[in-house]
Amino acid sequence: MAETRSIVVLTGAGISRESGLHTFRDADGIWATVNIEDVATPEAFARDPGRVQDFYNERRRGLVDNKIAPNPAHLALAEFETAFAGDFLLVTQNIDDLHERAGSRKLIHMHGELAKARCGNCGKFIEWREDLFTDTACPACDQAGGMRPHVVWFGEMPFEMDRIYEALEACDLFVSIGTSGNVYPAAGFVQAARMAGARTVELNLEPSEGASLFEEAVYGPAGTVVPGWFTDLAGSL
Ligand code: BJW
């Protein structure tokens, strides 16, 4: 097997499901109870900011609740990152902070972070663990009415795309975990990694939309599959 010097891991909502957070597109997922067009687009926020703030306030309260904790999949990725001597980048679509809490440091939140808020007036973003309201004032510029969750809605540009594509173009192993492969640009990362000549692996509960694009796959719950797979990888390096 070729040497593994540079690894990119992509995670989605499935990795946090065993920690008690909902996925989006499973039968009991978030989009089964609320319409994307009502809460996850800039148009929804312009039309009814209170509705959108309520949706994220409720999820933020759930996240800061101490009952939510990293599961063995988050912990295994953090442990692998610490031990691996090569280049490692964890790109998560998740807005929860379970990777950080597990100890991951080489991490990009491409769809933002629930525990941060951003001011539409001055552009600053800051840690935010409380509810947000339509008249919340920005601590940086003092203007009220512009604060929003620091997340990426449909039609908005995900964060740090240049850094992500740079890592994909240089990687020799790409591992996708717990994502359905419905949402772009993340769903296209496997193709970018393939073009770079990388080995591509899917670890998911079931085959994703893009399953045929991966060379290898292991199906099962992340908390079981991910620790075993990364232990084997570490042993093979
Ligand atoms: C388990 C498990 C267990 C369960 N263990 N596994 C037409 C064609 C192509 C693209 C477009 C198009 N029309 C529009 C677009 C673009 C659009 C898009 O992709 N739309 C599609 C719906 C078609 N994308 C965008 O608008 C993005 N921006 C953009 O494209 O900018 C332009 C650009 C161009 C070129 C380069 C760069 C940029 C922005 C997308 C923003 C997505 N935002 C959300 C909300 C974030 C905030 C929040 O959390 O509320 O992000 S939507 C939601 O979906 C969230 C997620 O991060 C994202 C992905 O979901 P994920 O993680 O895959 O979850 P699920 O539920 O779908 O899947 C879970 C998986 O886990 C399943 O497979 C389960 O089986 C599995 N699972 N339990 C392991 N225990």
Side-chain angles (χ1 to χ4, degrees), residues 177-193:
I177 304 171
T179 176
S180 64
N182 274 285
V183 176
Y184 287 84
F189 290 173
V190 59
Q191 277 146 316

Side-chain angles (χ1 to χ4, degrees), residues 45 49-50 53-54 57 60 117-121 126-149:
F45 189 60
Q53 299 286 27
D54 285 348
N57 286 342
R60 193 181 301 106
R118 182 163 87 242
C119 177
N121 295 315
I126 46 168
E127 286 275 331
W128 201 278
R129 304 185 78 79
E130 310 295 324
D131 283 359
L132 273 175
F133 301 99
T134 51
D135 61 354
T136 300
C138 170
C141 72
D142 221 22
Q143 288 196 69
M147 295 297 279
R148 57 163 282 181

Side-chain angles (χ1 to χ4, degrees), residues 36-49 51-52:
I36 290 176
E37 297 74 20
D38 291 338
V39 295
T41 66
E43 293 77 17
F45 189 60
R47 199 169 52 240
D48 192 348
R51 166 88 181 85
V52 176

Side-chain angles (χ1 to χ4, degrees), residues 11-18 22-26 29-31 36 39-40 55-56 59 92-95 110-112 151-158 161 165 177-187 203-209 220-223:
T11 62
I15 196 169
S16 296
R17 196 182 191 189
E18 289 153 77
H22 285 291
T23 60
F24 292 92
R25 294 169 187 82
D26 289 305
I30 292 172
W31 300 150
I36 290 176
V39 295
F55 172 69
Y56 285 98
R59 289 173 63 197
T92 188
Q93 298 170 84
N94 300 340
I95 63 172
M110 66 177 288
H111 289 166
V151 302
V152 177
W153 291 318
F154 284 102
E156 295 185 318
M157 185 63 86
M161 291 310 301
Y165 279 116
I177 304 171
T179 176
S180 64
N182 274 285
V183 176
Y184 287 84
L203 308 179
N204 205 41
L205 193 60
E206 58 193 15
S208 69
E209 285 289 310

